[in-house]
Amino acid sequence: FGSRRPIPRPGAATVAAMRVPFAASAFLPLLPLLWPSAAALEIGREARVSRAISNSRSYSADNAAAAKRVAELESAAAAQVLRNRLASARSHLKDMELRIEEYTNDVELGVRQKPIWTASTGQELRQRLARPAKKVQLALVSIRQDLTGEQGAAVFQHTSKGASVTQHALRAGEASLRAADEVVGSVNSIDAGGALRHLADIRSAIAAFDEALADVAPLRS
């Protein structure tokens, strides 16, 4: 028999080359699990978009709620300013009433049938009424400004009867200034009845401001 040639053994490189396809083929069934499908990617994208939209809506809702709260606080503060001015006007009207009553009480209460007024009494009363009357006038101007435009609309959100009650108080306040002048004229004429009638107009104005104050809700802390 002839000599046999030895069968060559595969080298390490050859063995490694043979093992690679085999190892790779073992992972082929797992590729669908390891690599996300197009549908899964689309679902993930839609979820991210949905979360972004939800967050955006939540942010917008929070901003809207904050803006609404700020507007409510501003209108409440404006209403409180109006209350303060109504109270100021009412206080000065009351001051006018008390100063006039010092001259009319004797007649009004029946202590005297005729007042003891002289030619200088009217001038004295006019001087005593000048300061509170001026303060009433200034308060009325400020109140009228508070009732105009958007500020007025915001203020009346805090009233139960709207603008009518405050507007009535304004008209009554203006009439009270004229009534004060008429009281002085009646004192000059020694007309007790006339003085009392015009004093009643001032008292009506005070009542109108009381009603307006009751209608404007106070600021809550």
Side-chain angles (χ1 to χ4, degrees):
F1 297 98
S3 61
R4 297 180 180 179
R5 293 181 180 180
I7 300 173
R9 295 181 178 180
T14 304
V15 172
M18 294 172 62
R19 287 177 179 173
V20 169
F22 175 80
S25 64
F27 286 98
L28 287 177
L30 300 177
L31 286 178
L33 300 178
L34 298 175
W35 190 262
S37 65
L41 290 173
E42 180 63 20
I43 291 173
R45 187 188 70 81
E46 291 178 355
R48 290 192 297 273
V49 171
S50 177
R51 285 195 299 270
I53 292 174
S54 177
N55 291 338
S56 176
R57 288 175 178 172
S58 177
Y59 180 76
S60 298
D62 290 343
N63 281 351
K68 181 179 179 182
R69 179 58 179 161
V70 169
E72 289 174 350
L73 290 174
E74 288 177 348
S75 63
Q80 184 60 41
V81 170
L82 176 61
R83 277 186 60 84
N84 292 344
R85 287 173 174 164
L86 289 170
S88 175
R90 196 260 183 207
S91 174
H92 297 310
L93 284 169
K94 186 65 178 179
D95 191 10
M96 289 170 57
E97 177 194 21
L98 294 175
R99 295 187 185 208
I100 292 170
E101 285 177 344
E102 293 180 18
Y103 296 85
T104 60
N105 272 344
D106 286 351
V107 176
E108 187 173 17
L109 298 176
V111 176
R112 298 178 184 275
Q113 291 185 347
K114 293 184 179 181
I116 306 177
W117 296 337
T118 65
S120 62
T121 305
Q123 182 61 28
E124 178 185 345
L125 178 58
R126 185 184 298 278
Q127 291 175 353
R128 296 194 62 195
L129 291 176
R131 182 170 180 174
K134 182 64 175 179
K135 290 184 177 180
V136 169
Q137 186 177 25
L138 292 175
L140 295 179
V141 171
S142 297
I143 292 169
R144 192 175 293 105
Q145 291 174 347
D146 290 339
L147 303 183
T148 58
E150 294 181 359
Q151 184 176 355
V155 165
F156 292 127
Q157 294 177 9
H158 298 268
T159 65
S160 58
K161 299 179 181 179
S164 60
V165 175
T166 304
Q167 293 287 2
H168 172 64
L170 272 175
R171 291 190 295 270
E174 291 166 351
S176 72
L177 295 176
R178 295 190 294 271
D181 288 336
E182 295 293 340
V183 169
V184 172
S186 296
V187 170
N188 284 331
S189 303
I190 315 179
D191 179 6
L196 291 175
R197 284 194 304 273
H198 297 302
L199 175 58
D201 292 337
I202 296 174
R203 289 170 176 165
S204 295
I206 293 172
F209 275 86
D210 286 337
E211 185 179 2
L213 281 166
D215 187 55
V216 181
L219 181 64
R220 295 179 180 179
S221 57

